[in-house]
Amino acid sequence: MHPMLNIAVRAARAAGNVISLNFEDHQNVSAEEKAKNDLVTNVDRECEKVIKDILLKSYPKHCVKGEEFG
């Protein structure tokens, strides 16, 4: 597999782990409305941060644009 693809798969799996850890315990999940009919949870933000951190660790000169943090 291509090295970039390996990093992307690693980032996706790490975000999946964050989701799995929070799936059973709904008390740890908080949601807020970003805009009308547009909710975001702390889990959404944590997943995006995990993905970004993994990508930038391997490719520090790359730019990452996300839905929650821009």
Side-chain angles (χ1 to χ4, degrees), residues 19 22-31 40-44:
I19 293 168
N22 288 284
F23 184 76
E24 294 290 329
D25 192 2
H26 299 288
Q27 292 181 7
N28 289 336
V29 179
S30 60
V40 62
T41 68
N42 59 317
V43 178
D44 294 327

Side-chain angles (χ1 to χ4, degrees), residues 32-41 45 67-69:
E32 61 184 64
E33 194 170 41
K34 291 192 303 185
K36 187 174 180 176
N37 298 323
D38 188 8
L39 297 176
V40 62
T41 68
R45 290 188 172 126
E67 180 180 2
E68 309 309 337
F69 295 113

Side-chain angles (χ1 to χ4, degrees), residues 2 11 13 17 21-22 25 34 38 59-60 65:
H2 191 279
R13 287 184 176 156
N17 288 338
L21 290 172
N22 288 284
D25 192 2
K34 291 192 303 185
D38 188 8
Y59 300 100
K65 182 167 177 135

